[in-house]
Amino acid sequence: MTALQHVKLGTYYVVHLPEADDFDFWRERARALVQSDVPPDRIAWVEPGGSGDLFAHGERRMPVPPMDARPVRANRRFVSLAKNAILHSDPERFALLYRLLWRLQSNPRMMEDKADLDVRRVEELDKNVRRDSHKMHAFVRFRLVESEDEEVGEHYVAWFEPEHHILRANAGFFMRRFSNMRWSILTPRGSLHWDTETMSEGPPAERHDAPGGDPMEDLWRTYYASIFNPARLKIGAMLKEMPKKYWKNMPEASLIPDLIAGAQGREAKMVEKGALEFEERPDTLAAIDKAIHACRKCPIGQLDNHAVMGEGPQDAALMIVGEQPGDQEDQTGRPFVGPAGQLLDTHLEKVGIDRRAAYVTNAVKHFKYVQRGKRRLHQNPGAKEIDTCRWWIESERAIVKPKLVLAMGASAARGMLGKTVSISKVRGAPIPLEDGSELWVTAHPSYLLRLDGPAREEQARLFDADLAAVRARLEDQA
């Protein structure tokens, strides 16, 4: 009886895979089944440890493709995704990949269809596996195991709990990275052992098989605490990149709750320390202008540039704060005269705010740039540089005494608040300041210049809405 007759009679094939991550075995069997015209619903794929009872009467012998069978078609994208997706822990992954391979024979461009449910699912499996591998690279922590045998030398052991079958696929990464070190990686799915010459595999392990710590961890924790920067703390992003389930295997994780709890206080001390470096606060705008031209308190002031003082009425009800001068501002000595300033003027006029009645300045007084030939390319100021310059922006605000301050961009907002905030979360509503004035936060006009199409139209709409809210608030306080 031929393979085609088997199919017509309802033969059900059961394929037992020797390893859960064996792509080559799956590919060989899948190619034979496709060439034998066996549809996806007539195959059961069983990985090690999987149940085969439901398929006890299935045909375990593989069909022999006919001599004139057509070659199996599979494009590069499918093969690339399949090699990763087969490492996933989803027991349906083999059936999914075969179904995609089967459909590719009649629709070679199917992998380009982003709306196809099978394509979307295999892309999701690929993404999950790549993420799991990334976490393994980042969060494996080796601990020294002392040996009584002097010939054995130092041996390092790590415990990791992968979500998918990625252990064997990542062996090369750790072999190359720690080629001169004897190590073992233990996981619930298996283990790897490297003796500086040969890689070997071992059975699954349990957590208690790995050491709980070593003397070097105290030094590592001290180092981690010393480099922890509270000014750059973003808890949501940190938890996304370093989920709590990995913390138990990381010695520095025990410090994280206390470091987070004390971050705001440490950040305030950093800001205060920067402010204490200055002497008595200037009492006139002219004095500030003179002082900022002589200021070399941060690296920006030591570049080949010129300080740019704010301009506008000394009793303005509105203070507009940007990030820093640009190339044109540095050359003219005036704030917001370049492309971003011209765009700002357009939007201010659109909502009915007279720029001439506002005091316009920047959170950082010097132009930070990197030289590229004859061009000076803008660079964002760092948190330390912004905090150092808070002395000047606070001095300006103390003299002008505006009722409202409009901070444009994250740097300007930090210059006013002493901490980093998310523009999308705080825009459109007043933030009370300690002197009774209000802070309003919006995007910087240079952000709009970097966009085009619908994205720019939407951001311009939000920018106008923020400016209109400021104008309305000014009218209420008039």
Side-chain angles (χ1 to χ4, degrees), residues 16-51:
H16 288 267
L17 292 103
E19 301 288 346
D21 59 351
D22 196 336
F23 175 77
D24 291 335
F25 181 90
W26 174 87
R27 178 170 55 182
E28 178 187 340
R29 294 298 188 269
R31 182 186 292 120
L33 289 164
V34 169
Q35 290 182 322
S36 300
D37 203 26
V38 181
D41 61 355
R42 305 306 302 168
I43 308 170
W45 301 88
V46 182
E47 62 182 304
S51 173

